[in-house]
Amino acid sequence: MSDQLIDQKTWGERYDATLMNTFGHPKRVLVRGRGADVWDADGNHYTDLLAGLAVHALGHAHPAVIEAISEQAGTLGHISNFFASPPQIMLGERLVALATLDAPGTAARVFFTNSGTEANEAAFKLTRLTGRRRIVAMEGSFHGRTMGALAITHNEHYRAPFEPLPGEIVWVPYGDIEALSRAVDETVAAVVLEPIQGENGVVEPDADFLPAARRITAEHGALLWVDEVQTGLCRCGAWFAHQRSGITPDIITVAKGLANGYPIGACLALGEAADLFGPGQHGTTFGGNPIACAAGCAVLRVMEDEGLAQRSTELGAHLADAVTALDDPRVDTVRGQGLLRGIVLNRPIAAGVADAALDAGWIINAPRPQVLRIAPPLIIAAGQLDDFVRALPGLLDAAQGRA
Ligand SMILES: *Cc1c(COP(=O)(O)O)cnc(C)c1O
């Protein structure tokens, strides 16, 4: 039978029979996308307000990315890390330039991976080479699912079945400068934090937290490691969200938005940290492969040419203002920066609202029981956001009706 003729229910049954049950039953089986629009196997249309979890910043099937991937695949698709390729070197140079925008002349180097958790894994190993072992991590954090990244991820439900994890992790409340300054001493290798905690429900610390973290780590010779896997690359209205605080970290990890859905991640190290890894101390077969890097180069070029950091700032403010203007008593506040937004509800009905939204043709998610996350492609039209905001009161009604 042609794949086109198989309905969603049948695909769902085949999924359940075959795929490991790590994600539950799929909400939909999607077959096609363009820009911020996507279609399921039954032909239903959705407006994508989540971008594959803050990934395809340029939307589905962006011509510049298609061209870059196709051309590279037809030229040189994979080598090995015995060799280098021009796209890898060019993407590395571009990331170094972006990471040192506010600190020109600072040394910086990149290690390419295939995912966010691997970027953090590389960073974790890098911190061990300082000769110190202790890591200070934040309550509410999410850094990925491999053993090292899991060790610094706070959610007990994710961690507990897999313990023991790599040790010497000290937890401090996110945003608590006092607690951070008590936790950091000469035994600490690194402090790891997200500029905004996306998985925790788009939680922002006060504006003085990142500068304080920079000061405290510098005082004790500890590295400041900023996980920008979700917040980086224009998502929050700047190339990197931490740049809004005017700080320069020692380690930056990125992934999600870097190649518009083609798997890639990167661990950037700045200053002295740039030279911690030596030959043989880390590696990867696929990381930095020419196709992923060509896709990354195309993404960064479009972001620059189309001013997507600025667009993210403007559309994010537009969305927040529009939701606030609804003046709906069930909406507490809208938080986040750029186009990484959390709509905070005054009751724990977010999962029901996300389900009602999907039924009505909008893809959003509920990272916390009271929080809806909106992280659309950065190229989305303002009108598409407006349509969603107009529908939101009805979706809240529907969720209350279901509860
Ligand atoms: C998604 C995410 C990760 C993990 O990335 P994967 O590509 O899923 O491994 C790590 N850190 C943050 C902040 C994330 O949002």
Side-chain angles (χ1 to χ4, degrees):
M1 201 199 300
S2 154
D3 288 356
Q4 271 88 47
L5 300 177
I6 301 174
D7 67 7
Q8 193 154 209
K9 186 162 169 297
T10 310
W11 278 129
E13 287 162 6
R14 286 169 61 175
Y15 178 99
D16 289 344
T18 307
L19 280 291
M20 286 193 192
N21 188 24
T22 50
F23 303 105
H25 184 70
K27 290 181 185 298
R28 295 291 190 274
V29 177
L30 302 175
V31 294
R32 190 164 59 87
R34 184 150 295 266
D37 297 297
V38 67
W39 289 267
D40 71 22
D42 295 340
N44 300 306
H45 166 265
Y46 306 87
T47 302
D48 186 351
L49 300 180
L50 201 57
L53 276 169
V55 169
H56 40 262
L58 309 186
H60 297 275
H62 192 284
V65 180
I66 296 172
E67 196 197 317
I69 288 176
S70 318
E71 198 184 306
Q72 192 60 47
T75 308
L76 184 68
H78 176 75
I79 44 177
S80 75
N81 283 304
F82 291 129
F83 306 102
S85 70
Q88 173 195 35
I89 297 164
M90 290 190 291
L91 184 60
E93 288 171 348
R94 187 73 186 117
L95 285 172
V96 162
L98 295 173
T100 56
L101 272 180
D102 301 329
T106 304
R109 293 182 186 278
V110 187
F111 180 85
F112 283 116
T113 68
N114 312 287
S115 65
T117 200
E118 286 170 89
N120 284 330
E121 214 63 33
F124 199 140
K125 286 178 71 175
L126 197 73
T127 68
R128 289 281 173 99
L129 299 178
T130 60
R132 303 179 185 182
R133 276 209 293 269
R134 190 164 304 202
I135 305 248
V136 176
M138 302 296 132
E139 293 177 6
S141 64
F142 181 83
H143 298 293
R145 305 291 199 145
T146 49
M147 297 300 254
L150 195 55
I152 51 171
T153 289
H154 188 244
N155 190 330
E156 194 60 25
H157 177 70
Y158 296 164
R159 305 159 41 82
F162 306 104
E163 285 173 346
L165 296 164
E168 298 197 39
I169 312 299
V170 178
W171 302 100
V172 302
Y174 187 52
D176 187 335
I177 296 174
E178 283 289 298
L180 184 64
S181 96
R182 276 195 304 274
V184 180
D185 61 21
E186 266 60 31
T187 68
V188 170
V191 170
V192 56
L193 55 85
E194 298 151 88
I196 295 175
Q197 291 184 332
E199 295 310 298
N200 195 31
V202 194
V203 177
E204 288 178 275
D206 288 341
D208 55 356
F209 184 58
L210 264 62
R214 177 65 288 181
R215 181 171 39 74
I216 292 164
T217 45
E219 273 167 19
H220 297 279
L223 300 173
L224 178 61
W225 162 10
V226 177
D227 180 343
E228 293 258 12
V229 168
Q230 186 159 161
T231 51
L233 305 167
C234 301
R235 174 55 54 192
C236 295
W239 282 109
F240 298 107
H242 72 261
Q243 288 171 335
R244 304 175 65 114
S245 311
I247 61 151
T248 303
D250 302 295
I251 302 176
I252 305 167
T253 48
V254 293
K256 290 190 164 100
L258 183 50
N260 216 50
Y262 207 92
I264 192 171
C267 171
L268 284 138
L270 286 72
E272 286 174 22
D275 294 316
L276 282 173
F277 272 139
Q281 287 184 315
H282 199 43
T284 164
T285 297
F286 293 121
N289 81 82
I291 303 180
C293 290
C297 288
V299 167
L300 297 183
R301 194 172 57 242
V302 173
M303 283 178 170
E304 167 99 62
D305 290 351
E306 299 187 2
L308 292 187
Q310 181 64 22
R311 185 179 169 81
S312 173
T313 299
E314 287 164 12
L315 280 184
H318 176 85
L319 173 70
D321 289 347
V323 173
T324 307
L326 286 174
D327 203 20
D328 192 301
R330 297 164 294 185
V331 174
D332 231 25
T333 181
V334 182
R335 62 192 183 199
Q337 298 289 338
L339 282 174
L340 180 60
R341 293 285 173 167
I343 300 176
V344 185
L345 308 176
N346 64 8
R347 258 176 282 170
I349 57 166
V353 179
D355 286 344
L358 194 60
D359 290 344
W362 280 282
I363 298 176
I364 61 173
N365 90 324
R368 306 281 306 163
Q370 293 192 208
V371 184
L372 302 170
R373 175 169 41 184
I374 313 287
L378 308 181
I379 50 86
I380 196 167
Q384 289 176 292
L385 295 174
D386 293 339
D387 289 344
F388 169 74
V389 174
R390 260 193 301 278
L392 184 56
L395 302 175
L396 292 163
D397 293 341
Q400 284 173 313
R402 288 173 195 208

